[in-house]
């Protein structure tokens, strides 16, 4: 289906109307960002120990000498054969950002409940370089509401995205992103922010580009077109008028 075709003058009028909405959305985003920065913090008193390629590390150790830590809760459970397709899609956008984040006092780390050897194998398959550690031996994923035990899923509700939801809408692993701050003077760690479901979507640059393409995301359901980057067909099919 093709959009209406109009004169350049009519197009400019429509584009200026859209520009007004885009500017409104930008101002709203600025307001949301300011409110995010103003959120109160929660001190992390629990001792979490993660398995890493360099040995066992605490949550404070994961900061790697910086004051800010962003953790991506990557869906890769202990018995999973491969990482979540959507999490993999987002993670394809991370490595290029690492130098910029690190030089702006931010450390990025992915955390999954899968054992370290399974994480390492999938990381090698995908060709990623960002730090990725295992929380298999601690409660981190459960405490931050991205992992659910069989007992959790047998209850009437599970807590995800700050809301009770039916277990039928959940999974043993779900995606999310959490941010932390470390106080240099006392070494205290604070939880400052978390986001779940489609919350981290703005990190996926491919979607932002597609939103500006003529067909947009061209999806039947959220990201149903996405595959792991080594699972796409080598040659793109020719466009079909019936597709």
């Amino acid at each position: 289906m093709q959009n209406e075709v109009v004169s350049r003058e009519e197009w400019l009028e429509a584009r200026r109307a859209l520009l007004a909405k885009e500017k409104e959305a930008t101002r709203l985003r600025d307001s949301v960002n300011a409110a995010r920065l103003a959120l109160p913090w929660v001190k992390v008193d629990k001792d979490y120990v993660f398995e890493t390629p360099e040995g066992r590390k605490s949550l404070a150790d994961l900061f790697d000498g910086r004051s800010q830590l962003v953790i991506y809760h990557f869906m890769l459970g202990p018995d999973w054969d491969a990482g979540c397709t959507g999490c993999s899609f987002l993670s394809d956008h991370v490595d290029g950002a690492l130098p910029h984040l690190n030089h702006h006092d931010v450390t990025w780390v992915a955390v999954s409940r899968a054992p370290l050897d399974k994480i390492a194998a999938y990381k090698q398959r995908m060709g990623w370089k960002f730090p990725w550690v295992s929380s298999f031996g601690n409660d981190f994923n459960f405490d931050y509401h991205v992992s659910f035990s069989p007992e959790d899923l047998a209850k009437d509700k599970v807590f995800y995205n700050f809301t009770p939801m039916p277990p039928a809408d959940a999974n043993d692993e779900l995606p999310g992103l959490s941010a932390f701050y470390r106080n240099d003077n006392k070494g205290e760690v604070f939880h400052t922010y978390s986001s779940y479901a489609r919350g981290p979507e703005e990190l996926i640059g491919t979607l932002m580009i597609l939103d500006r393409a003529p067909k947009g995301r061209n999806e039947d359901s959220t990201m149903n077109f996405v595959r792991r980057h080594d699972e796409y067909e080598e040659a793109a099919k020719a466009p079909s008028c019936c597709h």
Side-chain angles (χ1 to χ4, degrees), residues 6-25:
V6 299
S7 68
R8 174 60 58 178
E9 290 73 19
E10 290 174 299
W11 183 88
L12 282 172
E13 182 180 353
R15 181 62 187 92
R16 289 186 182 113
L18 175 60
L19 179 61
K21 291 185 177 182
E22 288 177 335
K23 288 184 175 181
E24 181 182 354

Side-chain angles (χ1 to χ4, degrees), residues 63-139:
F63 283 76
D64 196 23
R66 301 180 182 90
S67 70
Q68 301 166 89
L69 173 67
V70 175
I71 286 181
Y72 184 65
H73 303 286
F74 193 113
M75 295 169 62
L76 180 57
D79 57 350
W80 289 32
D81 295 326
C84 160
T85 303
C87 292
S88 300
F89 186 38
L90 184 148
S91 296
D92 280 337
H93 298 78
V94 172
D95 280 347
L98 288 181
H100 307 286
L101 294 174
N102 291 346
H103 283 275
H104 207 52
D105 194 32
V106 176
T107 297
W108 173 283
V109 177
V111 172
S112 299
R113 280 205 314 123
L116 198 59
D117 58 346
K118 185 168 289 190
I119 289 174
Y122 189 67
K123 181 179 178 181
Q124 182 178 19
R125 170 186 164 182
M126 294 289 100
W128 294 326
K129 300 184 183 305
F130 58 79
W132 193 352
V133 305
S134 172
S135 61
F136 181 70
N138 66 44
D139 296 328

Side-chain angles (χ1 to χ4, degrees), residues 3-194:
N3 288 21
E4 180 184 6
V5 178
V6 299
S7 68
R8 174 60 58 178
E9 290 73 19
E10 290 174 299
W11 183 88
L12 282 172
E13 182 180 353
R15 181 62 187 92
R16 289 186 182 113
L18 175 60
L19 179 61
K21 291 185 177 182
E22 288 177 335
K23 288 184 175 181
E24 181 182 354
T26 298
R27 289 190 290 269
L28 178 58
R29 184 181 64 200
D30 290 343
S31 175
V32 170
N33 288 342
R36 183 184 293 119
L37 290 176
L39 275 175
W41 296 353
V42 178
K43 185 178 178 182
V44 180
D45 291 319
K46 197 167 186 177
D47 294 325
Y48 298 104
V49 178
F50 301 86
E51 298 294 336
T52 85
E54 296 79 30
R56 293 162 65 84
K57 291 186 177 182
S58 68
L59 181 61
D61 292 332
L62 297 186
F63 283 76
D64 196 23
R66 301 180 182 90
S67 70
Q68 301 166 89
L69 173 67
V70 175
I71 286 181
Y72 184 65
H73 303 286
F74 193 113
M75 295 169 62
L76 180 57
D79 57 350
W80 289 32
D81 295 326
C84 160
T85 303
C87 292
S88 300
F89 186 38
L90 184 148
S91 296
D92 280 337
H93 298 78
V94 172
D95 280 347
L98 288 181
H100 307 286
L101 294 174
N102 291 346
H103 283 275
H104 207 52
D105 194 32
V106 176
T107 297
W108 173 283
V109 177
V111 172
S112 299
R113 280 205 314 123
L116 198 59
D117 58 346
K118 185 168 289 190
I119 289 174
Y122 189 67
K123 181 179 178 181
Q124 182 178 19
R125 170 186 164 182
M126 294 289 100
W128 294 326
K129 300 184 183 305
F130 58 79
W132 193 352
V133 305
S134 172
S135 61
F136 181 70
N138 66 44
D139 296 328
F140 184 77
N141 280 44
F142 297 102
D143 290 347
Y144 287 87
H145 307 289
V146 291
S147 293
F148 304 93
S149 67
E151 292 75 21
D152 293 329
L153 296 173
K155 297 176 181 177
D156 292 336
K157 301 285 184 181
V158 296
F159 191 76
Y160 179 68
N161 202 15
F162 313 106
T163 308
M165 61 184 287
D169 296 335
N171 194 25
D172 58 334
E173 305 290 337
L174 288 173
L177 180 144
S178 294
F180 301 86
Y181 176 80
R182 185 172 186 267
N183 184 317
D184 283 339
N185 294 330
K186 299 181 180 179
E188 298 170 316
V189 174
F190 302 89
H191 175 217
T192 65
Y193 177 74
S194 283

